[in-house]
Amino acid sequence: MQSVAQALDRLSGLAASPTVAKLAEAFAAAGYELALVGGPVRDAFLGRGTNDLDFTTDATPDGILEVVKPIAEAHWDIGRDFGTIGAKVHGHTVEITTYRADAYDGTSRKPEVVFGTSLEDDLVRRDFTVNALALRLPQIALVDPSGGVEDLIAGVLRTPSEPEVSFGDDPLRMMRAARFASQLGFEVEEGTLAAMSALAPEIDRISAERVRDELSKLLCTDAPRRGIRLLVDTGIAARVLPEIPALKLEIDEHHHHKDVYEHSLTVLDQAIDYEVSRGRLESPDLVVRLAALLHDIGKPATRRLEPGGAVSFHHHDIVGAKLAKKRLRELRFDNDTIKAVARLIELHLRFFGYTDGAWSDSAVRRYVRDAGDQLERLHILTRADVTTRNRRKADRLGFAYDDLEERIARLAEEEELAAVRPELDGQQIMATLGIRPGPVVGEAYKYLLDVRLDEGPIGTDAARERLLAWWAARGDA
C-alpha cells in the first residue's frame, strides 16, 4: 500500500503522460469536466501497474465524440447507449463515460440508463468505495466522497451507499465483491457480507452472460479461492454454480473420504501454480481453472457407501463431464470452452492406472490421442489432482507422471505422435479395397488407426496387407 503522497505522485505522473494530458486539455478547452476514475486511481494507492485508462465526464456521448474525434487515431461507440465512447489516443486505448445516475426497477436484468451531471453523484453509485475514487483533470485533485482511501488502507470492501441499495440496483455487484476479494486480497465489510447472504436470490435477475463473465474474471485472478469461498458461504454459488457447494459431502463416523470441496479448491490452487511454473500455456488459462474447479462435480451423484467403511465414486469422471457440459451451456460459455473442459474432466482419472503397472507404448499413444490438443492442460490437471499429505505417495505419483511425460516426448519424437494417423488415408483405402465412399471406409480407417496405436508405424505396404486381411475376414470382398 502506497502512502497518499506517493499515490498522488504516481497519479501526477500519469496525468502528465501524453494520452491523459491530451485528453485533459481537449475536454477543458471544450468546457467539459474530465476525471480519471476507478481502477487506475485505486491501483496508484496499491502500487499496482495501470493497464486500463477509464475516464468520466459531464459531456454527453455526442459531446465526447466531438472532443475525441480530432485527437484520436481511432474511436468507436459500441457502448454509446450506456454512455461510453472508446478511443485510441496517443497509442493507448481509453474509455470515456458520461456521468451516470442509473436506476433499476427491481425486476429487469438491465438498468435504465440515466445520465448524471455530478462527479460526486456518479461516484457514490459505483460498486465499492475503493473503486469510487477519481482524479479531476487537469487540476490533479483527488475526489473521494465515500472514504475509499481509508478502505484501501484497511483492506476492506464496502459499498458507497447502503449495501442493500447497491446490490438491489445491480445484484452482479455481489459477485464483483468475490472477485475483488480475490484480486486485491481484501476482506468484505461485515454489513456488506450480510447483505450478500440476504440478497443472494437477487442474482437470479442477472443474465447468464453477465454471470459467466464475472465468474470468468474471478477464476482468472491470481488466487480465486477466497472469492469462491465467498460465493459458497453467502449462498450465491448455490444459484449460479450449485455443483460447487454440493461438493460439501456429509461424512459419517463409519465411512471416511477426503473433503471433496476442500480438495477441489486445493486442486485449483495447484493447477494455477503448475500453469504458471510450466509456462507452456498463456496464463491465466480459463479452461484449466474451470476443469480444476469442476473436475470432481460427479462425485455427489456417484457416491456409494461400501462395507467396511470404504466410499466409492465409480464413473464420477463421466458423470462430471456431463454435468459440466450442462452447467457451462446454461452459463453461455462458448462451445470450444465447454468441449475442452468436459474432455479434461472425462480424462482426469486416466493416468492413475499408470502406477498400477507399466503402460505399453500403445496405451501411451492412446492417452495422447484421446487428449488431443488438450494434452498440456491434462498434464496440469492430473498433476494438480494429487493432494495427498502422504509425501511418499505424492512423490511416487509425481515420479510416475514424470516418466509418462518422458515416454510421450520420446514417442512423439520417434513417431510424430501428435499427428497419429493410419498409414493409409480414405482414398488409399478405397483404392486398395476397390470400394466407393461409404460407412465401411470409416470402419476400415478406424481399424488401421487401432493398428497404428497398438503397434506404432508399420509402413504402407504392411498396412495394405493388414487391411486386405481385415477385409477378407469380414467376408465383404
Side-chain angles (χ1 to χ4, degrees), residues 52-311:
D52 302 320
L53 293 176
D54 296 325
F55 299 86
T56 188
T57 178
D58 60 342
T60 64
D62 287 341
I64 296 172
L65 279 171
E66 287 179 9
V67 174
V68 164
K69 280 181 181 180
I71 62 172
E73 296 101 74
H75 60 84
W76 49 94
D77 60 359
I78 193 170
R80 184 173 186 153
D81 289 345
F82 294 92
T84 299
I85 301 297
K88 190 170 186 179
V89 179
H90 219 283
H92 286 84
T93 299
V94 301
E95 287 193 347
I96 308 158
T97 302
T98 305
Y99 294 155
R100 297 275 290 271
D102 298 346
Y104 283 74
D105 61 14
T107 58
S108 173
R109 291 184 169 197
K110 293 182 179 180
E112 176 188 352
V113 178
V114 179
F115 297 141
T117 57
S118 161
L119 173 59
E120 288 76 6
D121 289 347
D122 175 274
L123 293 176
V124 297
R125 295 197 63 81
R126 291 180 178 254
D127 52 7
F128 302 103
T129 60
V130 297
N131 295 328
L133 299 168
L135 187 73
R136 285 192 185 274
L137 300 169
Q139 302 95 318
I140 321 284
L142 181 67
V143 183
D144 177 17
S146 307
V149 172
E150 288 82 356
D151 287 342
L152 279 171
I153 294 169
V156 169
L157 286 172
R158 182 170 56 86
T159 56
S161 58
E162 290 299 315
E164 293 80 7
V165 174
S166 181
F167 295 153
D169 279 350
D170 186 358
L172 191 67
R173 289 172 175 170
M174 296 186 289
M175 291 189 68
R176 285 200 201 113
R179 192 235 301 179
F180 283 120
S182 284
Q183 182 178 319
L184 304 176
F186 283 12
E187 296 292 334
V188 179
E189 180 267 333
E190 185 177 338
T192 304
L193 186 63
M196 288 172 66
S197 297
L199 296 176
E202 293 298 301
I203 201 69
D204 295 347
R205 290 201 277 120
I206 301 302
S207 69
E209 291 82 0
R210 294 184 72 207
V211 168
R212 173 203 64 209
D213 290 347
E214 197 57 51
L215 178 63
S216 298
K217 290 175 183 177
L218 165 59
L219 285 173
C220 288
T221 62
D222 290 341
R225 177 192 279 251
R226 181 195 292 260
I228 293 166
R229 281 195 185 283
L230 270 171
L231 294 181
V232 171
D233 293 346
T234 56
I236 295 170
R239 311 192 78 88
V240 300
L241 199 61
E243 292 79 8
I244 301 307
L247 293 173
K248 290 186 170 185
L249 301 178
E250 248 182 73
I251 301 175
D252 65 36
E253 58 181 324
H254 303 296
H255 296 83
H256 299 283
H257 58 79
K258 69 176 66 176
D259 185 320
V260 183
Y261 172 66
E262 292 296 334
H263 165 74
S264 297
L265 293 181
T266 300
V267 171
L268 175 59
D269 288 343
Q270 295 186 166
I272 293 171
D273 289 342
Y274 281 120
E275 171 196 302
V276 173
S277 64
R278 288 170 72 94
R280 300 178 192 172
L281 298 170
E282 185 175 343
S283 184
D285 189 291
L286 180 61
V287 169
V288 164
R289 298 173 185 215
L290 282 168
L293 181 63
L294 303 177
H295 78 285
D296 272 348
I297 60 172
K299 281 191 170 180
T302 58
R303 185 173 72 154
R304 297 292 180 270
L305 305 181
E306 308 288 356
V311 180

